[in-house]
Amino acid sequence: MGSGQWHIEKRSSFKNDSESIEAENFPENGSLSIIVLGASGDLAKKKTFPALFNLFKQGLLPSNEVHIFGYARTKITDDELRDRLRGYLIPKKGGSSKDLETVSQFLQLIKYVCGAYDAEEGFRLLDKEISKHEVSKHSENGLSRRLFYLALPPSVYPSVCKMIRHYCMNKTDLGGWTRVVVEKPFGRDLASAEELSSQIGELFEESQLYRIDHYLGKELVQNLLVLRFANRFFLPLWNRDNIDNVQIVFREDFGTDGRGGYFDQYGIIRDIIQNHLLQVLCLVAMEKPISLNPENIRDEKVKVLQSIDPIKDEEVILGQYDGYKDDPTVPDDSNTPTFATVVLRIHNERWEGVPFIVKAGKALNSRKAEIRVQFKDVPGDIFKCKKQGRNEFVIRLQPSEAMYMKLTVKQPGLEMRTVQSELDLSYGQRYQDTKIPEAYERLILDTIRGDQQHFVRRDELKAAWKIFTPLLHKIDDGKLKPLPYKPGSRGPEAADELQAKVGYVQTHGYIWIPPTL
């Protein structure tokens, strides 16, 4: 497929003709160079390169246009990097000869450059290699596209961005571009995030920066806008008059697994709640944007964040699982929470009085991420079924992606008995022939398309940190202590007590079972 065809056919399905990606984002004679900085690290091997491979496999990264560069300090050859990556690209079951051939074709697109992250010499060499590729693809001067993916710790972002800005930019702006993708965490608190944003902001325009949060690329998260604003029966229900509380939950059934030293620098709030779960909350709570233009959507998300009241200490429960400090890389006096339940309250007309309960934890009794919208009790309950539980709309983000509505029905039989059941849309059953893309695939493709809808804007990042920074400083200073809990449990019992106190009614005796094919 020629590049001219590609830029016409691969438009975002969310956009109509008037809002489609501008043609200059896909110049007909411009090569595309994707540069993965930190190419020898775990993130690059496990997430970035596999995502690029899947896009290549689907024909979205044509080999006649695209070249991929790895850059890191590790002294290895092109072939050594390819060999390191191969195991992450081959299907777990071994793959057919065609699969292995596709992997080999993809790996031939990768070239490795060794250099330091603050050294002019390394980045001049990188620029030289990128320019060679652009010349080989007969890319017209100024039409080439350069995408830099920083699979690196935030501490080196400023120096790397400075090197890119001075030595690796697309030479002129005649329709080509230079874009930079930065990974979370974006700082440790409001001050450090703002400092980082200022340092990078002096080097690049906001339109060139893509702050990636992979949760925004998940299929069910992307579905939230469609669910809320394309279905008539949700519109009158989605407010304080009908909804009692909203839970946004992230649970893992394993601990830090050898990453204790890294995790201990951040904790569960910085690692999961302040970014992933808060992004989901914005999509659940936001008002309808005036269009699907990325800026209109991000404007509404910022309004939600700016409407959140300061967090009350009595509406926070922290936990740390027994055995966490047995990890030799974790300090013996660590106050870092591995579990947190936090109640957020949105001070606006739609959500006044509705608690948003965000909860995340490691070493719990299950692994899942879900949104649970719990509706108020039915007034005048003539069936006396209140004790069975409330209506809930559940969006299962992972695993076993699904949406289901928990509702009360008559139990089959001669007697008038009620029971809880569900209306179920399980993706594995409904979309059997559809492969759900990985979040990183979607977000990298959005970056190439120039669509910033699913990336975090600077003022959005600032508003998010403003909410959690006072709480994080209290934890860092030892003023709030995590409660111990046993691995494999639901977390501290006080967390369930807090949820009950703010209005959540737990259903007993009902278990959702994903339907089998």
Side-chain angles (χ1 to χ4, degrees), residues 408-452:
T408 302
V409 298
K410 177 186 174 298
Q411 184 169 336
L414 296 175
E415 297 184 37
M416 181 58 75
R417 288 185 179 175
T418 58
V419 66
Q420 279 214 318
S421 188
E422 71 280 324
L423 297 175
D424 194 316
L425 167 58
S426 287
Y427 274 50
Q429 185 179 54
R430 182 66 178 85
Y431 303 110
Q432 295 179 35
D433 299 325
T434 302
K435 179 187 178 295
I436 295 177
E438 289 291 329
Y440 280 95
E441 295 174 38
R442 189 190 312 275
L443 295 176
I444 290 172
L445 189 59
D446 280 349
T447 308
I448 297 169
R449 288 170 166 162
D451 185 346
Q452 290 187 307

Side-chain angles (χ1 to χ4, degrees), residues 33-35 145-149 177 179 181 444 447-448:
S33 299
I34 299 174
I35 304 95
R145 296 159 288 164
R146 297 185 176 189
L147 171 60
F148 291 87
Y149 194 111
W177 44 254
R179 292 175 185 154
V181 179
I444 290 172
T447 308
I448 297 169

Side-chain angles (χ1 to χ4, degrees), residues 25 38 49 55 74 164 175 237 494:
N25 286 328
F49 282 110
L55 292 174
T74 309
I164 293 171
L237 295 178

Side-chain angles (χ1 to χ4, degrees), residues 201-257:
E202 290 173 359
L203 300 167
F204 298 104
E205 300 292 331
E206 184 67 23
S207 60
Q208 295 175 302
L209 290 171
Y210 289 72
R211 299 175 190 85
I212 196 168
D213 184 332
H214 76 271
Y215 251 60
L216 290 175
K218 288 185 175 293
E219 183 66 36
L220 272 292
V221 174
Q222 298 233 323
N223 209 344
L224 280 169
L225 287 184
V226 179
L227 273 173
R228 289 199 50 206
F229 303 125
N231 293 291
R232 183 70 178 87
F233 55 79
F234 278 131
L235 295 177
L237 295 178
W238 213 259
N239 54 50
R240 63 192 299 269
D241 297 328
N242 300 287
I243 293 173
D244 186 272
N245 59 81
V246 178
Q247 268 198 84
I248 302 172
V249 179
F250 174 93
R251 304 166 66 89
E252 288 182 334
D253 56 3
F254 53 89
T256 52
D257 282 4

Side-chain angles (χ1 to χ4, degrees), residues 113-299:
V113 177
C114 175
Y117 295 126
D118 57 356
E120 175 183 337
E121 181 185 2
F123 282 86
R124 283 193 182 278
L125 177 59
L126 177 61
D127 179 66
K128 183 180 177 181
E129 293 296 337
I130 297 170
S131 297
K132 277 185 189 176
H133 158 65
E134 291 168 349
V135 170
S136 72
K137 298 299 180 185
H138 308 292
S139 184
E140 293 183 15
N141 188 33
L143 291 181
S144 61
R145 296 159 288 164
R146 297 185 176 189
L147 171 60
F148 291 87
Y149 194 111
L150 275 56
L152 294 165
S155 58
V156 298
Y157 287 173
S159 61
V160 168
C161 286
K162 188 175 181 180
M163 292 294 114
I164 293 171
R165 185 72 184 85
H166 291 323
Y167 305 112
C168 293
M169 297 290 284
N170 184 30
K171 298 302 179 285
T172 58
D173 188 17
L174 299 175
W177 44 254
T178 301
R179 292 175 185 154
V180 178
V181 179
V182 290
E183 274 275 356
K184 77 163 188 84
F186 315 108
R188 288 182 50 82
D189 56 13
L190 179 58
S192 58
E194 275 294 279
E195 182 182 6
L196 188 58
S197 291
S198 295
Q199 290 172 326
I200 298 175
E202 290 173 359
L203 300 167
F204 298 104
E205 300 292 331
E206 184 67 23
S207 60
Q208 295 175 302
L209 290 171
Y210 289 72
R211 299 175 190 85
I212 196 168
D213 184 332
H214 76 271
Y215 251 60
L216 290 175
K218 288 185 175 293
E219 183 66 36
L220 272 292
V221 174
Q222 298 233 323
N223 209 344
L224 280 169
L225 287 184
V226 179
L227 273 173
R228 289 199 50 206
F229 303 125
N231 293 291
R232 183 70 178 87
F233 55 79
F234 278 131
L235 295 177
L237 295 178
W238 213 259
N239 54 50
R240 63 192 299 269
D241 297 328
N242 300 287
I243 293 173
D244 186 272
N245 59 81
V246 178
Q247 268 198 84
I248 302 172
V249 179
F250 174 93
R251 304 166 66 89
E252 288 182 334
D253 56 3
F254 53 89
T256 52
D257 282 4
R259 294 175 65 248
Y262 170 82
F263 179 84
D264 200 71
Q265 299 174 46
Y266 297 100
I268 199 72
I269 295 176
R270 288 185 178 96
D271 195 39
I272 302 295
I273 294 178
Q274 182 273 336
N275 43 73
H276 297 334
L277 301 194
L278 202 57
Q279 286 291 322
V280 173
L281 181 147
C282 287
L283 294 170
V284 172
M286 64 186 271
E287 298 298 320
K288 183 190 287 188
I290 60 173
S291 77
L292 287 173
N293 178 286
E295 294 311 308
N296 295 149
I297 293 171
R298 299 202 292 182
D299 285 345

